Amino acid sequence: MLIVQKYGGTSVGNVDRIKNVAKRVAKTANNGNKVVVVVSAMSGETDKLISLAQQISANPQEREMDLLLSSGERVTTALTAMAVEDLGIKARAFTGWQAGIVSDSVHTKAKIEKINTERVKAALDEGYVVIVAGFQGITEQGDITTLGRGGSDLSAVAIAAALHADACEIYTDVDGVYTTDPNIVPGARKLEKISYEEMMELASLGAKVLQTRSVEFGMKYNVPIVVRSSFNDNPGTLVTKEDADMEQVAVSGVAYDKNQAKVTIKSVPDKPGIAARIFKTIADANIVVDMIVQNTSTDGKSTDLSFTVAKTDAQKTRALTEELMRGLGAAGVDMRDDIAKISVVGVGMRTHSGVAATMFETLANHGVNIMTISTSEIKVSCLIELKYMELAVRALHEVFGLEGAVQK
Ligand code: ADP
Ligand code: ASP
Ligand code: MG
């Protein structure tokens, strides 16, 4: 079998843990498998590099940022290869570009365009375990890129797809995907399996156990993804195609996201083309907008327009909207980041009614005010004050009956 294993930041967080990863890799190789390993930087390392850049410059160039950030994964890739060799197994370390990962040129959140697998395949055929640096690629022009936070998951899934691997195992510090973050709700239950669609919603709504784009990629190329712990041998969670069982429950998970900021442009003229202008400008800056609310104007002339963006894009968005505001004749821009988005997700929502009503009622019973609501076929999200986040997650987890013993 050809197995792709990805080890996250905590799993390679120090020398002993890298040696532990090497043992697991060696075991898989000794069982007769071809193994490709994708590693993240040591935990905290990417944040440290970002902070260094911020201390140097208020506005570091994104191209240079990527060169900097990609270094964290180079370190663990080389060290992991050394640790595997030490156990008597041949190993080769590759950077993203050496592994043929070609991306577009949107620095700091590049998309993988293709993978030239020749070098990796040749090394596997020569009997090497291949260790690839996650989170990075290279443009056609030869510039190093990174794939967005949590992007090593995407590297692993994309490599698994390109190599037609038999399995893509994501090893992390929890032993699977739970009904909500087990670090917030100790009573959260491990799921035996989850559909790509639900996992994609959970991830995009804040459950960082898998990067959203990695799940999207997995769904597109039908890569079976298993989330497991690198610290034990518990069975993990399979992310797979939806089946009939999955529709039985209305809500399968609760997610939270405290990394958003809410922008309000006040007294925007109420006429055609204004929203298009605002969001085109923001999209052109490669900023992803999430929840959008626009009220109808009471005076027929102007209205407030609110939307959310990632906190990391907040300053860039403020600068853009303030400039737009002057051109549009709006009254001002407000920004707040003491907010959280909480969401309930489940494919069963397509057939069960009343989920949104139960969610709103539960929040009301706990005195939590809802600022913004957004829904899709399989999720309901509410924006609330950050200080109520944990309370809200616990209350929703309970009201939808998600507590329970760990599934085996
Ligand atoms: P890695 O460094 O291995 O990539 P991450 O920190 O990115 O790990 O992701 C694992 C973390 O995701 C867990 O420690 C947990 O706190 C968080 N998490 C959030 N929601 C969930 C969920 N529904 N199930 C499991 N883990 C979750
Ligand atoms: N090291 C990168 C990050 O912290 C990528 C990853 O861990 O997947 O976002
Ligand atoms: Mg991660």
Side-chain angles (χ1 to χ4, degrees):
M1 291 225 292
L2 172 55
I3 300 178
V4 175
Q5 300 188 328
K6 178 257 173 179
Y7 291 91
T10 328
S11 306
V12 292
N14 59 38
V15 166
D16 285 340
R17 288 187 175 174
I18 291 176
K19 288 183 178 170
N20 167 57
V21 164
K23 274 194 207 136
R24 300 186 77 109
V25 171
K27 193 170 160 198
T28 314
N30 283 332
N31 283 340
N33 300 298
K34 287 185 174 177
V35 193
V36 177
V37 180
V38 174
V39 288
S40 292
M42 291 183 177
S43 56
E45 196 55 36
T46 308
D47 288 334
K48 219 182 281 168
L49 294 168
I50 292 173
S51 147
L52 277 176
Q54 285 168 343
Q55 290 172 56
I56 297 278
S57 161
N59 200 9
Q61 310 93 288
E62 291 185 331
R63 179 184 175 279
E64 277 56 39
M65 202 64 196
D66 274 351
L67 187 58
L68 175 71
L69 296 189
S70 67
S71 67
E73 269 72 9
R74 276 177 93 128
V75 171
T76 45
T77 304
L79 292 175
T80 306
M82 292 171 194
V84 172
E85 279 273 344
D86 242 35
L87 298 174
I89 308 261
K90 294 201 298 178
R92 274 269 150 93
F94 292 112
T95 63
W97 73 264
Q98 288 176 318
I101 301 177
V102 179
S103 78
D104 65 18
S105 56
V106 182
H107 284 288
T108 77
K109 39 187 153 184
K111 285 204 170 74
I112 294 179
E113 285 184 336
K114 65 171 180 209
I115 304 189
N116 300 319
T117 52
E118 298 80 27
R119 244 183 124 172
V120 169
K121 276 190 183 145
L124 287 170
D125 288 343
E126 286 168 38
Y128 288 97
V129 165
V130 172
I131 324 272
V132 180
F135 181 51
Q136 55 186 270
I138 193 160
T139 65
E140 296 279 7
Q141 293 73 37
D143 288 318
I144 306 276
T145 54
T146 62
L147 310 174
R149 296 308 303 267
S152 299
D153 295 333
L154 175 60
S155 309
V157 174
I159 289 172
L163 295 173
H164 305 290
D166 298 291
C168 179
E169 302 170 344
I170 306 287
Y171 287 92
T172 181
D173 55 3
V174 286
D175 61 2
V177 178
Y178 280 70
T179 47
T180 193
D181 188 345
N183 289 319
I184 295 252
V185 182
R189 179 164 45 85
K190 186 165 76 181
L191 300 163
E192 194 186 330
K193 57 185 176 180
I194 184 168
S195 68
Y196 289 115
E197 239 183 309
E198 284 170 315
M199 190 61 238
M200 212 149 82
E201 284 283 7
L202 282 176
S204 74
L205 295 167
K208 67 168 181 166
V209 59
L210 282 176
Q211 190 214 28
T212 313
R213 284 219 236 125
S214 72
V215 188
E216 198 181 332
F217 208 97
M219 178 156 131
K220 190 162 165 199
Y221 295 99
N222 214 356
V223 180
I225 304 169
V226 181
V227 178
R228 301 185 58 178
S229 166
S230 64
F231 302 112
N232 60 45
D233 289 323
N234 295 348
T237 300
L238 176 67
V239 187
T240 183
K241 278 190 199 152
E242 185 178 329
D243 64 30
D245 294 355
M246 294 173 180
E247 288 239 337
Q248 301 300 314
V249 289
V251 171
S252 48
V254 179
Y256 64 88
D257 182 357
K258 45 186 180 175
N259 290 315
Q260 296 224 325
K262 182 176 178 222
V263 183
T264 303
I265 311 183
K266 290 187 292 189
S267 298
V268 178
D270 192 10
K271 58 182 188 199
I274 299 286
R277 211 164 121 192
I278 294 172
F279 293 113
K280 167 102 179 42
T281 307
I282 296 171
D284 285 348
N286 284 311
I287 296 170
V288 178
V289 169
D290 186 22
M291 295 170 125
I292 302 177
V293 195
Q294 181 177 357
N295 289 322
T296 44
S297 60
T298 41
D299 61 1
K301 288 191 193 114
S302 66
T303 176
D304 289 352
L305 178 69
S306 294
F307 55 92
T308 58
V309 295
K311 265 187 191 155
T312 44
D313 287 329
Q315 289 320 319
K316 213 164 149 188
T317 310
R318 183 197 283 268
L320 285 172
T321 42
E322 279 176 352
E323 199 176 316
L324 270 168
M325 175 202 84
R326 283 188 283 275
L328 296 172
V333 176
D334 266 352
M335 173 99 85
R336 64 182 290 188
D337 58 12
D338 59 335
I339 54 164
K341 181 170 67 174
I342 42 164
S343 312
V344 297
V345 172
V347 287
M349 267 183 226
R350 294 195 197 112
T351 45
H352 294 72
S353 60
V355 171
T358 305
M359 181 175 188
F360 305 153
E361 198 181 0
T362 306
L363 294 175
N365 289 342
H366 287 81
V368 179
N369 188 39
I370 302 171
M371 296 182 215
T372 305
I373 298 165
S374 82
T375 61
S376 79
E377 206 191 6
I378 65 163
K379 71 119 200 262
V380 185
S381 300
C382 296
L383 210 59
I384 61 169
E385 264 187 88
L386 182 61
K387 64 180 179 196
Y388 294 124
M389 188 196 83
E390 290 196 18
L391 170 76
V393 170
R394 287 204 185 92
L396 293 172
H397 192 260
E398 196 184 328
V399 79
F400 288 108
L402 299 175
E403 311 269 315
V406 172
Q407 271 183 7
K408 286 288 173 201

